[in-house]
Amino acid sequence: MTDFRGMAVLEDKEQARRTAQEERDQQREKLFLPVGSHVTDVEGVGSEDEGTRVVDEIESLCVNCEENGTSRMLLTNIPYFREIIISSFSCDHCHYMNTGIEFAGEIQTHGARYKLKVEETADLQRQLIKSDTATVRIEDIDLEIPKGRGRLSNVEGFLSEVLNNLEQDQAQRKKKQPELYEKLEVLVQKLIKMMNGSAMPFTVTVDDVAGNSWIEPSPLDKAGRYTRTEYQRNPEQNASLGLATSDMPLENNGVTPIGPIEVTSLAEAENNSMDGVDILEGKMYTMPCNCPGCTKPAAMNMQMVNIPFFKQVIITAVICTYCDYRTNEVKTGGEIPELGRRITLAVNDAEDLKRDILKSETCYLRVPECNVEVQPGTMGGRFTTVEGLLTQMRDDLRSSIFDTSKGSGDSMTKETKGSWDAFFATLNKAIVGDMRFTVIMEDPLASSYVQSFFAPDPDPQIEEEEYERTVEEEEDLGLTDMRTHQNADGEYVKEEFHRTETDDSENNGVEDGLSTAAADLTLESSNDKGTNPQ
């Protein structure tokens, strides 16, 4: 029987939490304004007016001459990125100067990795934000800028800083350490060529476990030129951020699933593990876990369902009552196939937008007509409709990178803003069904799926083909070093893949199983914006 009283209490708590969060967001928006807003306020009133001061000045000790200097701090936000504190120090006695950037926002729920292939001089002007928890690498010369002082600049600015640091004291090294001088001089010359455009292309990557770094994208980026990947932090990375210790135990957080569906708690199993528990199709299971965002105890709901004419999958949803982290993913099971699969769907009308689509976390997705590409590892595994997937991609891009609909855009040139406006306009036309387009999914594990309107007969709008995985894909998936089978001598040997044909008869009579399971999980995490892209 459903506990309606308990549901009402949870709804009241949820509403109170949302109200408190809205109040905090409003206070933050008043405190952290875009730089353009600060400039407008100062221009509208005399700069001598005490009420219009936007930069805070503090007298502080100079670390160079130990006299008193002046520190200046500006609380602002980078449009469509995050709140930051820009600081500078100057000393009138020894003329020492320094600048820095600190993040005033929260640590993100996932780490972030950016990769930019610099192919032309214009790419050197792309904005680059490095937090104090990020590392920046120039892959072509194997040079790394370690974690340290945060900085806001562009790609050229970071190259220039590295170049200046390497050139410093080179004259003394040439006399005292000629071997070290020669090695550094090779890097110096390569950096000079990169900055003047004669050593392109080269690749710059930024890896931030706190998720607070960024490289500016462009709507004209083609395949492989710009990638952004989010990843879950491991216990050691969480400990380095001060979120938790690496030996924090799992707790069940007192989670009691509610709803009219049949629920089995894995927490009742011995040692809170899967040992001795049979995962049955159609049943929901709840087990304790640690939140990927704050590492505090959370609950994971999971259910195994069977997609008609495809395979069994497991839908999971994580809910954290501490930091409000919520997410859902779809994990495919079964053996690893010998070949990858490429699926091409022709979307001709609004009816095709209603097709179910499963994008696994290993899938590379493209929509050529909209200039949209989703790299493997981005968005995780998602089950939705074609319309829902496009909507989620659009909303994620707007919220995490740009949102030209709000109109501030003081960090963008007029040409760049126009390009993003055109990009979003094309994507919106595809979402509402005003244009024909193609969805291409390449999955090296053949774990992605598009609903066929003619199953089990072939669908004229869906093309499927198998392909050989590349060596790079094999390495990324960990298949190259996989040793899971024992030979006659008892030694573990490499996995041998054997293709199998799916027995369609096993799927007969299963209608909309995945949609039902997704609805059940949504019931468990009501008001969850991330659970259903639509």
Side-chain angles (χ1 to χ4, degrees):
M1 180 178 295
T2 303
D3 185 359
F4 293 102
R5 181 176 300 178
M7 294 178 66
V9 172
L10 290 177
E11 290 177 357
D12 291 341
K13 290 182 178 180
E14 177 69 13
Q15 183 60 40
R17 185 200 59 77
R18 287 178 175 272
T19 302
Q21 183 64 41
E22 290 175 359
E23 293 176 354
R24 290 194 294 269
D25 291 342
Q26 292 174 0
Q27 294 175 357
R28 179 179 294 178
E29 289 176 0
K30 293 179 181 179
L31 186 62
F32 294 91
L33 296 174
V35 176
S37 300
H38 288 308
V39 174
T40 303
D41 292 341
V42 174
E43 290 179 344
V45 188
S47 59
E48 301 296 329
D49 191 334
E50 183 69 19
T52 63
R53 177 178 295 178
V54 296
V55 178
D56 295 319
E57 296 186 357
I58 303 173
E59 185 175 340
S60 56
L61 181 68
C62 176
V63 297
N64 189 44
C65 68
E66 298 187 355
E67 296 287 343
N68 285 335
T70 303
S71 294
R72 297 175 175 84
M73 294 186 296
L74 173 64
L75 279 66
T76 183
N77 71 60
I78 298 176
Y80 321 117
F81 185 58
R82 292 185 183 95
E83 298 88 351
I84 61 173
I85 300 176
I86 301 176
S87 61
S88 67
F89 175 83
S90 61
C91 179
D92 295 334
H93 300 280
C94 65
H95 305 290
Y96 174 77
M97 301 180 66
N98 192 10
T99 60
I101 177 175
E102 295 182 8
F103 290 88
E106 59 190 16
I107 296 174
Q108 305 306 305
T109 56
H110 290 81
R113 184 179 298 107
Y114 295 84
K115 179 184 291 186
L116 172 65
K117 189 175 183 181
V118 180
E119 297 181 344
E120 55 187 5
T121 305
D123 292 333
L124 296 174
Q125 305 306 315
R126 297 204 191 200
Q127 197 172 50
L128 193 155
I129 300 172
K130 174 189 176 296
S131 77
D132 55 1
T133 59
T135 59
V136 179
R137 285 184 53 84
I138 305 173
E139 301 292 348
D140 301 72
I141 57 178
D142 196 23
L143 190 148
E144 179 175 304
I145 304 174
K147 299 177 182 179
R149 179 172 59 94
R151 190 178 177 204
L152 167 63
S153 184
N154 54 24
V155 175
E156 183 179 12
F158 274 86
L159 294 178
S160 178
E161 182 180 28
V162 173
L163 178 61
N164 293 335
N165 291 336
L166 291 177
E167 286 183 328
Q168 189 175 8
D169 299 330
Q170 274 291 79
Q172 287 82 357
R173 293 192 190 98
K174 188 174 183 180
K175 298 178 180 179
K176 299 180 180 179
Q177 296 176 293
E179 294 183 0
L180 178 59
Y181 166 81
E182 293 294 339
K183 293 179 180 180
L184 292 179
E185 189 63 22
V186 173
L187 295 179
V188 167
Q189 295 303 319
K190 288 183 178 180
L191 285 171
I192 293 175
K193 292 181 180 180
M194 289 178 178
M195 294 179 63
N196 62 29
S198 59
M200 294 182 179
F202 61 92
T203 302
V204 177
T205 60
V206 178
D207 192 340
D208 189 355
V209 294
N212 284 325
S213 296
W214 185 64
I215 297 180
E216 179 185 356
S218 169
L220 304 179
D221 288 335
K222 301 299 182 182
R225 187 173 184 181
Y226 177 95
T227 60
R228 172 181 178 271
T229 305
E230 291 185 346
Y231 59 88
Q232 289 192 356
R233 292 183 288 266
N234 58 39
E236 290 75 15
Q237 292 170 332
N238 279 325
S240 69
L241 297 174
L243 293 178
T245 58
S246 58
D247 58 349
M248 172 176 283
L250 292 173
E251 302 179 24
N252 60 17
N253 197 23
V255 176
T256 302
I258 58 176
I261 53 179
E262 184 174 3
V263 177
T264 300
S265 176
L266 293 182
E268 298 174 358
E270 185 177 359
N271 298 324
N272 287 342
S273 68
M274 298 289 293
D275 295 339
V277 177
D278 293 330
I279 304 299
L280 302 179
E281 184 178 324
K283 284 190 176 182
M284 181 179 293
Y285 299 83
T286 299
M287 62 183 299
C289 66
N290 282 344
C291 172
C294 67
T295 73
K296 292 184 178 180
M300 174 185 290
N301 297 328
M302 57 185 296
Q303 184 174 1
M304 182 174 67
V305 297
N306 192 13
I307 302 179
F309 311 107
F310 187 52
K311 63 171 68 173
Q312 287 181 330
V313 300
I314 296 178
I315 304 177
T316 63
V318 177
I319 310 169
C320 179
T321 58
Y322 292 96
C323 68
D324 198 38
Y325 175 87
R326 297 164 183 251
T327 185
N328 74 326
E329 284 196 57
V330 179
K331 303 287 186 180
T332 56
E335 64 180 11
I336 298 176
E338 180 183 7
L339 302 173
R341 180 179 298 142
R342 183 180 297 107
I343 302 176
T344 303
L345 169 66
V347 180
N348 297 330
D349 51 39
E351 193 66 24
D352 291 325
L353 295 173
K354 301 177 182 179
R355 291 177 185 259
D356 290 338
I357 186 170
L358 171 62
K359 187 201 81 68
S360 75
E361 58 186 351
T362 59
C363 174
Y364 168 51
L365 185 145
R366 291 183 294 142
V367 184
E369 294 81 358
C370 299
N371 196 28
V372 170
E373 296 178 358
V374 179
Q375 299 292 330
T378 306
M379 296 175 59
R382 285 291 180 265
F383 167 72
T384 177
T385 60
V386 175
E387 179 185 359
L389 187 62
L390 293 179
T391 301
Q392 184 177 6
M393 290 190 291
R394 179 199 62 188
D395 293 345
D396 287 350
L397 189 60
R398 279 181 168 173
S399 62
S400 62
I401 304 178
F402 287 105
D403 192 345
T404 56
S405 64
K406 292 184 179 179
S408 55
D410 59 357
S411 65
M412 289 186 288
T413 64
K414 184 177 180 180
E415 293 76 12
T416 302
K417 185 177 184 298
S419 298
W420 281 109
D421 285 336
F423 171 82
F424 283 122
T426 302
L427 195 53
N428 287 331
K429 287 179 61 179
I431 291 173
V432 299
D434 288 345
M435 62 176 287
R436 295 188 175 188
F437 60 92
T438 306
V439 178
I440 304 173
M441 297 193 298
E442 296 182 6
D443 194 334
L445 294 183
S447 296
S448 297
Y449 158 83
V450 174
Q451 180 185 9
S452 171
F453 287 159
F454 297 87
D457 297 326
D459 191 320
Q461 293 176 226
I462 298 178
E463 295 183 7
E464 295 188 9
E465 57 179 317
E466 295 180 328
Y467 67 93
E468 292 279 353
R469 285 188 290 265
T470 64
V471 176
E472 183 180 1
E473 288 176 332
E474 294 272 353
E475 292 179 350
D476 291 341
L477 295 171
L479 301 180
T480 304
D481 300 323
M482 184 178 291
R483 302 288 188 273
T484 59
H485 287 271
Q486 285 184 321
N487 58 17
D489 298 329
E491 299 176 343
Y492 282 97
V493 296
K494 185 177 179 181
E495 175 82 40
E496 295 292 339
F497 300 108
H498 300 283
R499 297 178 57 186
T500 59
E501 296 182 0
T502 302
D503 184 3
D504 292 339
S505 62
E506 296 180 357
N507 297 305
N508 292 337
V510 182
E511 299 294 338
D512 299 328
L514 193 56
S515 300
T516 303
D520 290 343
L521 287 178
T522 304
L523 177 62
E524 280 295 301
S525 54
S526 60
N527 299 324
D528 179 4
K529 293 182 179 180
T531 300
N532 191 338
Q534 292 179 270

